[in-house]
Amino acid sequence: MSSGTLTCYTTNQLLAQFSEFDPIVRHWAAQRIAGMCATNSAISNAITPQIIALTTNANPWVRSAACDALASLKTAAALDALVARLGDTDVWTRFKAGQALNNLGTVTLPKLTNIMSAFVSNAVDNPLVSINWNDPCGWGNGYLSDL
């Protein structure tokens, strides 16, 4: 499968790709949906609430793909859902939520206290001494440091 293959998929088929094992497929599906929303406001109005709802899905792959799509959509409507994902148990979901918040820019200012709290909660006490083996490179907080 390639990113070009996804051009003939419906939005429901693309959303189904959010649960695929391969993170590249999930990313391509998220980018394709974001592209469809950028060119068609009716699709955007219909699918954006669905994507926001997917940020609470039981499957961490679906949650991270939803955050990935929201990063490209840059919609302020997703602010609360993205901030909530900063405390996610899945590192990649936290990373994608941080990336999406970073893309929102100053819209995030009302939630800055929540974002800072999540940053501190996800950090290790002393990174020179201890390593969080679930996130050894600190990806979960990576984009939050750019806000």
Side-chain angles (χ1 to χ4, degrees):
M1 177 180 286
S2 68
S3 62
T5 307
L6 296 176
T7 59
C8 59
Y9 279 39
T10 66
T11 54
N12 287 335
Q13 289 172 317
L14 290 168
L15 289 173
Q17 297 298 309
F18 281 17
S19 62
E20 282 295 312
F21 171 78
D22 189 344
I24 301 296
V25 171
R26 296 192 307 263
H27 176 72
W28 285 340
Q31 295 310 299
R32 179 67 186 133
I33 284 179
M36 292 169 72
C37 290
T39 59
N40 188 327
S41 62
I43 290 175
S44 179
N45 293 338
I47 203 161
T48 300
Q50 287 178 308
I51 295 171
I52 292 170
L54 288 175
T55 63
T56 61
N57 191 283
N59 185 334
W61 297 341
V62 173
R63 293 192 308 266
S64 68
C67 291
D68 194 7
L70 292 170
S72 294
L73 290 174
K74 299 178 184 176
T75 177
L79 181 60
D80 288 333
L82 292 169
V83 169
R85 294 292 47 105
L86 295 178
D88 202 279
T89 56
D90 179 58
V91 171
W92 201 241
T93 300
R94 289 197 315 264
F95 173 76
K96 291 295 185 177
Q99 184 179 36
L101 288 167
N102 194 327
N103 288 351
L104 287 176
T106 58
V107 172
T108 61
L109 288 178
K111 299 291 182 179
L112 192 56
T113 302
N114 303 69
I115 293 168
M116 290 170 37
S117 295
F119 184 89
V120 171
S121 296
N122 295 329
V124 294
D125 292 334
N126 186 348
L128 298 175
V129 176
S130 62
I131 296 174
N132 176 358
W133 291 109
N134 293 323
D135 185 14
C137 295
W139 289 100
N141 274 346
Y143 275 101
L144 295 181
S145 62
D146 288 342
L147 288 175

